[in-house]
Amino acid sequence: MGIGVNIGNTLENTSAWETGWGNPRITKEYVDSLAVMGFKTVRLPVAWDTFARDGRVLPDKMARVEEVVDWITGAGMFCVINIHWDGGWIDSSNKQRYRKTYATFSAEAERKFRGYW
């Protein structure tokens, strides 16, 4: 898979998604420039749960992930998508907010995790 690069602080932002931490939107030109620089793999972290309702990722968010992945693979690179911190629901230290998944990868968290994948 060769030398890789991370497109972080975009699709895993849990407040305003792609531009929530001040980054610009990902563009095809940016993705193409990564390939020109010789990168072979792109890690694309995503906050799935933050942008889901009733266990389903919102269609516009899924379409955006698909668009970026298509640009990456279309430029001849591998794309590694991962679920990122996503507000902490997987094994949160926030017992008040995530009672069922507090400090553990619970059966409920596993069902949700598998459902997104």
Side-chain angles (χ1 to χ4, degrees):
M1 293 173 61
I3 298 171
V5 65
N6 179 49
I7 300 181
N9 297 326
T10 56
L11 303 182
E12 82 270 36
N13 181 282
T14 57
S15 61
W17 216 37
E18 197 165 352
T19 60
W21 286 320
N23 283 353
R25 285 178 49 89
I26 302 164
T27 64
K28 183 176 185 322
E29 293 75 21
Y30 175 70
V31 169
D32 289 342
S33 76
L34 297 174
V36 168
M37 286 187 277
F39 291 105
K40 303 296 182 195
T41 303
V42 177
R43 174 180 173 260
L44 188 65
V46 180
W48 300 108
D49 192 59
T50 301
F51 301 100
R53 301 297 174 266
D54 300 318
R56 305 275 315 188
V57 177
L58 298 173
D60 64 318
K61 302 303 183 198
M62 186 62 79
R64 180 62 175 151
V65 172
E66 183 179 7
E67 179 178 46
V68 174
V69 169
D70 286 348
W71 291 339
I72 293 166
T73 58
M77 296 180 289
F78 293 100
C79 184
V80 177
I81 300 172
N82 79 290
I83 190 166
H84 204 62
W85 178 72
D86 205 358
W89 67 269
I90 297 172
D91 61 354
S92 179
S93 60
N94 185 337
K95 190 172 188 176
Q96 182 83 2
R97 186 169 177 198
Y98 298 105
R99 291 175 287 118
K100 295 181 181 178
T101 61
Y102 172 71
T104 183
F105 190 70
S106 67
E108 180 175 315
E110 184 169 348
R111 278 191 300 278
K112 186 186 282 191
F113 186 82
R114 289 180 184 269
Y116 290 142
W117 287 112

